[in-house]
Amino acid sequence: DLVRSRGLGDVYKRQLYMECTGYTVKTSDGEKQYSASELNGDVLVIDKVSSDTDVTAHFAKKELKAVITFAANDPDLGTVSAVYGADKKAIVSGDSQIAGGDVIFTAAPAEGQMIEGWYKNPECTEAIEGTNQEQPEYSAHAVYADLAVYVKFVEIPEYTVKLGINGTGTADIEAESEGVKLDIASGEVKVKRHADLKVTVRPRDVYNTVEYWICLLYTSPSPRDRTRS
């Protein structure tokens, strides 16, 4: 950006994020100050120069603002908070902050919910690059433009685990998760994501024993879970 003193031919270069606050003009008639507001801008025009003239342009750091917006896809499913700046001051969504600081967002799912992802839009369709499922925090550094961050919470999913025996003999099978006995229906149990599963097999007579276990894992749209006892 260039600030010109027309008539004198002097050119002053303004650095990024700086603003002109005014000029000092010295002539044989004395010294005079001009403020940027008085000039209605940052261009000084001196007409009919009649003596040696010294022009000084004054600059100051421009206080840029950035609006930071953050929210959950549903406030009943979880909350999103944020802190900003070197002092990590808690901020309110939609407020403007002095630009240039770092912001840290924290997502807290409600009971029975999990973080599905971090997004750029309230519809939660444009994922923020570099973020992952179940990531509790997201940081943005040196914020100089408006920023919007949204978190999508979803119910913690259940997975189907099929249980059975193979070979000769018979046995009773029991299953429990997080200390709670599970009902086995048609050879299947339901287990919450990340929960522990314990399976116990008891042969029905002394002539049978457990030789080995087979655990088959299946991929799904969600990250793979590998849980076995």
Side-chain angles (χ1 to χ4, degrees), residues 58-228:
H58 303 287
F59 294 92
K61 185 177 180 180
K62 187 175 182 180
E63 191 175 83
L64 299 178
K65 295 283 188 175
V67 177
I68 300 177
T69 304
F70 52 94
N73 62 317
D74 186 334
D76 292 333
L77 304 183
T79 60
V80 186
S81 58
V83 294
Y84 185 81
D87 58 352
K88 292 183 170 55
K89 175 191 69 174
I91 61 174
V92 176
S93 175
D95 283 357
S96 62
Q97 310 297 327
I98 296 176
D102 298 342
V103 59
I104 302 173
F105 302 95
T106 302
E111 185 175 357
Q113 306 295 315
M114 61 172 278
I115 300 167
E116 191 273 342
W118 296 80
Y119 294 88
K120 301 177 183 178
N121 60 328
E123 295 79 18
C124 294
T125 56
E126 299 178 32
I128 297 175
E129 185 178 356
T131 59
N132 300 299
Q133 194 174 47
E134 297 185 283
Q135 177 179 321
E137 287 187 353
Y138 168 68
S139 300
H141 302 287
V143 178
Y144 278 101
D146 293 348
L147 177 65
V149 171
Y150 300 91
V151 179
K152 183 178 181 179
F153 297 102
V154 295
E155 184 178 359
I156 297 175
E158 284 187 334
Y159 301 111
T160 299
V161 179
K162 296 183 179 182
L163 306 174
I165 58 174
N166 195 2
T168 60
T170 58
D172 296 317
I173 301 177
E174 295 180 356
E176 66 177 65
S177 179
E178 306 297 314
V180 178
K181 186 176 181 180
L182 302 177
D183 292 329
I184 302 175
S186 300
E188 296 180 351
V189 294
K190 298 290 186 180
V191 181
K192 284 284 189 180
R193 179 179 176 82
H194 294 321
D196 293 333
L197 173 64
K198 179 181 178 181
V199 179
T200 303
V201 177
R202 293 188 176 88
R204 292 181 181 174
D205 58 63
V206 297
Y207 302 105
N208 292 289
T209 186
V210 177
E211 184 179 7
Y212 57 86
W213 295 78
I214 297 175
C215 182
L216 300 178
L217 303 176
Y218 301 91
T219 58
S220 65
S222 59
R224 180 181 298 176
D225 290 286
R226 301 195 175 195
T227 305
R228 57 179 167 181

